[in-house]
Amino acid sequence: MELLHKSGDIIAQKYRIKSTLGQGGIGITYQAIDLQNNNLVAIKTLSLRRMTDWKALELFERESKILSQLDHPGIPHYLDYFQVETENDRSFYLVQQLAAGTSLDKWIENGWHPQESEVKDIAIQVLEIIIYLQTLTPPIIHRDLKPQNIIRRGDGRIVLVDFGAVQDIYHQTVTGGSTVVGTYGYMAPEQFRGQAVLSTDLYGLGTTLLFLLTQKTPADLPQRRLKINFRSHVRVSKKFANWLDRMIEPEIENRFDSAQEALAVLQNERAITTRSLTPRKPKNSPIILTINEASLIIEIPPVGLRTNYSKLFTFLSLIWNGISCLTAWIIREFRNAGAINLTNTWAWILLIIFLSIGLLILGDSLLGSLCHIKLEMTQENFRIQRGSPIWFFKQVKEYRSDIERLTVKTGWFKAITMCVGKDRYRFGLFLTESEKKWLVWEMRSFLEKLRF
C-alpha cells in the first residue's frame, strides 16, 4: 500500500508525522506528535481515492465511533477524528493515544521465550479487556485478536490495539453484517462465514497464546478434526493445556461462553465443566458421562427395549429360540415315531447349531438389555463393570496404556470394541448409533489428552 505521508508532514496543522507504525487491510498507521502538547499519538489514515471497497470506509467509521465510546486502561484513548479534502482526494484520520511498548509478535521475533506464568498473565489481562467490551451495551467484538494487535510494555502491562475489524452485536444481529475480517490462523471458523459471537475473541486469544508458547503461527501447527493439535508442541501444565483446548474449540458451543467464564476457570475460581463435544450426546440419552483431569467415567443404565437394536435382538431371540424349541419337539416326535434315530450325526449337529445360536442371541439380548455398565478410565488403568439386580459379572481391569484401538465394530454386532493386546472388550451393543459414536469420540479424546 502506497504511503500517504512521510516523516515531517504536518496534518491539519495539528500533527507532525514521525514514522510509520504499520499497514493494515484498511489503512496506514503513523506515529506523530501532537503540536499542541507534544504528546506522541497514533494516527490511522484512509484515502478515499485509493480504496478498492466501500466496506473499508464503513469499517473505518465504525472503528472511530466505537473507540470514542470506550474507556479502559488497556485500550488507547480516542482523541480525534477528522477529514482532509484536497483537489484529488479525501482522506480520513483517526487519532488515538500512542500505546507505548512492543507487539507480541515483535517480542517473539526479538528472541523472547515466555514461561507459562507470563503467558497466563497476558491471558488474564486480555480477558479483562474483553470482559469490559462484552459488558457494554451492545457488546463489542474485536474480531482480530492476534500477536500484532497486542502491545506489551516493559513492565508487562498489556494494551489491545487496532479495532479496525471491531463489530457490535447490534450491527451483526439487526443489520446483518457479514464482512469476513480477521487474520488467517487466528480467525475462529465462524468468521469465515462472516459471523462473530462473544466467544470469537476467545478463539483469537487462544491461538495468540499458542503462538507465544510454540513460536509458530497457528496455521503451521498440526490439526486433528479441524482442531489445532498443540499438546506435543508445548510444555505447560495439564490444567492450562485443557483450558487452551476449550479456548480454541472449532465449534462455538464447545468454547467458553464468555470471557468472564474463561477468566474464572483460568484463575481456578471455577472448574471446566463437562460438555458434550462433537459428536454431541444424543437428546434424551440416559447415559451419564463424567470427565475431569484425572478420569473419565461412563455409566450406561440397562437399555431394556429403549433402542431399535434391543428390540431387534429381543425379537430375534424369541423367534430363534422358538424355532429351536420347535426343532427339538419335531426331532422328539420323529424319534418317538421311529422315523429318526438320535444317534444320527446330522440330527445332533442340527440340534446343537440351532440351540447354540439361540443361546448366543438370548445371552447377548439379556446382557445388552438388562445390564448396568460402568467404565472408568484413569492415567494408570481402565475398569469395566457389568451387573444387574439378578447377577453380577466380574469386573475387568487392564492398564490404560495397553489400549491399542477403540472403535465401533462394524457388521452385525455393532458394539463398542476396545482392543487390548490379544483381548477384545465389547460393550454398548444395544445403544443407538449416535450414542456409540459419541462415547467412542469422548474416550478417544480423553486418551489423547493423557498421552501428552
Side-chain angles (χ1 to χ4, degrees):
M1 182 182 296
E2 184 182 352
L3 296 178
L4 289 176
H5 300 284
K6 61 181 183 298
S7 178
D9 285 355
I10 296 178
I11 303 173
Q13 300 180 345
K14 294 182 179 181
Y15 308 99
R16 179 185 291 117
I17 300 296
K18 284 195 64 178
S19 61
T20 302
L21 292 175
Q23 301 184 44
I26 63 171
I28 303 172
T29 303
Y30 298 93
Q31 183 185 78
I33 298 176
D34 187 330
L35 298 177
Q36 296 178 346
N37 52 32
N38 288 326
N39 289 336
L40 289 176
V41 298
I43 302 180
K44 191 171 185 178
T45 65
L46 180 67
S47 167
L48 186 64
R49 181 172 59 87
R50 300 177 190 182
M51 280 194 317
T52 58
D53 186 355
W54 282 101
K55 198 71 178 179
L57 179 58
E58 179 186 335
L59 291 172
F60 195 84
E61 291 179 335
R62 188 191 307 161
E63 177 182 10
S64 172
K65 178 182 177 182
I66 289 178
L67 283 174
S68 67
Q69 303 168 4
L70 303 182
D71 183 17
H72 189 280
I75 300 173
H77 292 304
Y78 167 91
L79 298 174
D80 199 2
Y81 178 77
F82 59 91
Q83 303 176 24
V84 174
E85 190 165 355
T86 62
E87 184 178 348
N88 299 319
D89 197 7
R90 175 184 294 179
S91 299
F92 302 84
Y93 297 87
L94 170 60
V95 185
Q96 285 181 272
Q97 175 189 31
L98 183 67
T102 306
S103 63
L104 293 182
D105 68 313
K106 292 297 182 183
W107 276 90
I108 297 300
E109 188 179 312
N110 294 334
W112 185 47
H113 293 271
Q115 300 299 311
E116 178 178 334
S117 59
E118 294 175 298
V119 175
K120 282 184 177 180
D121 181 63
I122 291 172
I124 290 171
Q125 292 189 60
V126 176
L127 284 171
E128 288 173 344
I129 298 173
I130 299 175
I131 289 171
Y132 166 74
L133 296 174
Q134 292 183 352
T135 53
L136 296 174
T137 305
I140 301 299
I141 307 172
H142 187 280
R143 295 203 297 176
D144 199 18
L145 273 172
K146 59 183 179 181
Q148 293 87 339
N149 289 340
I150 300 176
I151 306 298
R152 184 176 184 265
R153 301 189 325 199
D155 62 1
R157 297 307 300 167
I158 293 296
V159 179
L160 181 60
V161 301
D162 196 351
F163 282 68
V166 72
Q167 185 171 52
D168 60 70
I169 295 294
Y170 175 83
H171 181 272
Q172 178 176 325
T173 58
V174 177
T175 66
S178 59
T179 306
V180 177
V181 295
T183 302
Y184 182 70
Y186 301 94
M187 290 174 60
E190 64 269 14
Q191 288 182 268
F192 290 98
R193 304 188 296 270
Q195 300 175 0
V197 296
L198 293 182
S199 64
T200 296
D201 283 344
L202 301 185
Y203 187 95
L205 174 58
T207 50
T208 295
L209 300 178
L210 287 183
F211 168 76
L212 298 180
L213 291 167
T214 65
Q215 315 279 296
K216 298 179 181 180
T217 62
D220 292 333
L221 294 173
Q223 291 191 4
R224 189 170 184 267
R225 300 190 188 102
L226 302 179
K227 182 177 178 179
I228 300 172
N229 188 12
F230 66 88
R231 289 181 181 258
S232 61
H233 296 264
V234 299
R235 292 184 178 180
V236 296
S237 64
K238 182 178 292 188
K239 181 175 290 186
F240 189 45
N242 292 342
W243 182 84
L244 285 170
D245 246 337
R246 181 62 60 86
M247 292 284 283
I248 61 169
E249 281 291 346
E251 295 202 16
I252 295 170
E253 57 269 29
N254 294 335
R255 286 180 225 142
F256 295 110
D257 292 330
S258 66
Q260 186 70 59
E261 181 187 2
L263 181 60
V265 173
L266 184 59
Q267 295 182 322
N268 298 317
E269 296 174 1
R270 183 188 304 180
I272 295 182
T273 55
T274 301
R275 299 187 181 188
S276 54
L277 303 179
T278 305
R280 304 167 195 161
K281 178 180 178 179
K283 187 177 180 181
N284 299 325
S285 173
I287 298 173
I288 300 174
L289 172 66
T290 306
I291 302 178
N292 55 42
E293 293 180 11
S295 66
L296 173 146
I297 301 174
I298 298 172
E299 295 187 67
I300 306 174
V303 176
L305 298 178
R306 178 174 64 85
T307 70
N308 290 332
Y309 285 106
S310 61
K311 293 175 183 177
L312 175 63
F313 269 77
T314 300
F315 176 76
L316 286 176
S317 175
L318 293 175
I319 294 298
W320 200 274
N321 283 285
I323 293 175
S324 297
C325 291
L326 179 61
T327 302
W329 178 80
I330 291 174
I331 291 175
R332 189 193 67 176
E333 292 298 314
F334 272 87
R335 186 196 64 179
N336 292 337
I340 187 172
N341 186 352
L342 282 181
T343 58
N344 187 293
T345 303
W346 290 108
W348 276 108
I349 292 175
L350 181 63
L351 183 59
I352 291 172
I353 288 176
F354 269 94
L355 290 175
S356 298
I357 294 176
L359 290 174
L360 177 64
I361 297 176
L362 178 62
D364 274 328
S365 178
L366 293 174
L367 184 65
S369 299
L370 303 180
C371 280
H372 176 278
I373 299 173
K374 181 177 180 180
L375 180 142
E376 181 177 2
M377 286 185 178
T378 65
Q379 179 70 44
E380 293 77 25
N381 53 54
F382 73 89
R383 188 193 312 264
I384 302 177
Q385 295 176 322
R386 293 184 177 93
S388 76
I390 303 174
W391 71 88
F392 179 80
F393 290 90
K394 67 177 182 179
Q395 65 181 12
V396 173
K397 185 176 180 180
E398 297 274 7
Y399 288 106
R400 189 273 307 169
S401 57
D402 291 337
I403 298 177
E404 298 175 353
R405 191 166 67 255
L406 182 62
T407 184
V408 177
K409 187 177 180 181
T410 58
W412 182 253
F413 296 92
K414 295 183 178 180
I416 298 174
T417 303
M418 279 198 297
C419 300
V420 185
K422 295 181 180 180
D423 296 322
R424 301 289 186 272
Y425 298 107
R426 296 191 306 125
F427 65 96
L429 174 64
F430 290 163
L431 299 179
T432 64
E433 196 75 24
S434 56
E435 285 176 329
K436 295 172 189 175
K437 291 180 179 178
W438 165 59
L439 290 178
V440 168
W441 195 94
E442 291 284 3
M443 287 188 285
R444 284 175 177 170
S445 298
F446 181 75
L447 289 172
E448 186 175 327
K449 289 181 181 180
L450 292 180
R451 290 191 182 103
F452 298 112

